[in-house]
Amino acid sequence: PGDVVLDLSNMTNHTIKLGGGLRQDCDVISVMKAGTLRFSKPNKYWVENSQKRYVPHAEDSVLGIVVDSRSDNFLVDIKGPAIAFLPVLAFEGGTRRNIPKFEIGTLLYVRVVKANPGMNPELSCTDASGKAAEFGALKDGYMFECTTGLSRMLLSSPTCPVLDALGKKLSFEIAVGLNGRVWVNAASPPTTIIVANAIMNSETLSGAQQRIMVEKLLQKIQ
């Protein structure tokens, strides 16, 4: 924290986007928390670290739990400092006539649309183009909580070793939220448990160690 990572006075005619962990003071971009500086094309920078508390950022995909419903919004817990709200019209083709009904406790895969300090985050069940894409309610399956660092590892490209090794031998669905929640669903409960345990055990392991751990888990069930 405090390190200067970018000097904008040397970057004329450049537009950059700042993610979590960075702040701008005049022409200087400095670090606010310890972690790894990341960059994604074309122009986004952020600091990545592993923590249990989630700080919402726009365009994050997260797993939320419905805690209440109002006439205009669903109130959703996304593990952040404040409850988020999901407008009843924030669905593909959403109109007043086809408002979805979610019971309290429903697990949703949603996108963070707005996340300003001091305000409740706003969510959507559509991608940036207004399509439902993969967003919506997650039925059945098993959800567990982990650190934000493990979530980012699972979403990394190329596919992280633990998911690659599991996917070659087992059939399952998975949804990973950047807020440190993971949902797994498989045809049989034992498969779901094995996938969940392998993921939870993988955070501190190297790629090679993850593959060995998955092989040992799979040998126990054969």
Side-chain angles (χ1 to χ4, degrees):
D3 284 357
V4 174
V5 292
L6 289 172
D7 186 348
L8 300 184
S9 60
N10 300 328
M11 300 173 66
T12 54
N13 297 326
H14 279 275
T15 301
I16 65 168
K17 290 183 179 179
L18 298 184
L22 297 173
R23 75 172 188 180
Q24 180 177 354
D25 292 314
C26 299
D27 283 344
V28 171
I29 307 298
S30 56
V31 180
M32 295 171 59
K33 65 182 182 183
T36 306
L37 181 66
R38 300 288 192 192
F39 169 74
S40 70
K41 293 179 180 179
N43 57 2
K44 184 171 182 179
Y45 294 86
W46 73 96
V47 173
E48 192 172 285
N49 65 354
S50 186
Q51 57 194 34
K52 290 189 176 178
R53 180 173 169 268
Y54 168 65
V55 180
H57 295 286
E59 299 307 318
D60 282 359
S61 296
V62 298
L63 294 181
I65 299 170
V66 177
V67 294
D68 200 0
S69 61
R70 305 280 167 83
S71 58
D72 290 334
N73 304 302
F74 297 102
L75 301 185
V76 183
D77 166 28
I78 58 171
K79 270 182 79 176
I83 292 293
F85 68 92
L86 172 64
V88 294
L89 300 180
F91 296 82
E92 183 177 1
T95 67
R96 286 284 173 192
R97 290 188 175 183
N98 61 357
I99 291 173
K101 289 182 171 62
F102 295 132
E103 294 182 4
I104 292 173
T106 300
L107 184 65
L108 301 174
Y109 190 53
V110 289
R111 179 173 65 93
V112 179
V113 179
K114 295 178 185 174
N116 299 317
M119 294 177 63
N120 295 68
E122 181 181 338
L123 308 173
S124 175
C125 265
T126 65
D127 61 17
S129 64
K131 300 294 183 184
E134 68 272 24
F135 298 109
L138 299 173
K139 297 173 183 173
D140 304 321
Y142 170 65
M143 189 274 287
F144 60 92
E145 299 196 349
C146 62
T147 62
T148 56
L150 179 54
S151 287
R152 290 188 184 277
M153 183 188 83
L154 294 172
L155 290 167
S156 62
S157 183
T159 306
C160 77
V162 66
L163 291 183
D164 186 48
L166 287 167
K168 287 177 179 175
K169 298 289 176 68
L170 300 174
S171 176
F172 61 92
E173 294 177 279
I174 185 169
V176 180
L178 285 169
N179 57 336
R181 283 184 177 146
V182 181
W183 171 84
V184 176
N185 189 28
S188 68
T191 303
T192 302
I193 292 167
I194 283 170
V195 172
N197 283 342
I199 290 170
M200 285 188 273
N201 291 340
S202 67
E203 183 167 13
T204 58
L205 303 179
S206 68
Q209 289 171 326
Q210 288 178 23
R211 293 182 189 281
I212 293 169
M213 179 262 296
V214 169
E215 285 178 16
K216 287 182 177 177
L217 276 175
L218 294 176
Q219 283 171 2
K220 291 179 181 177
I221 62 165
Q222 288 171 355

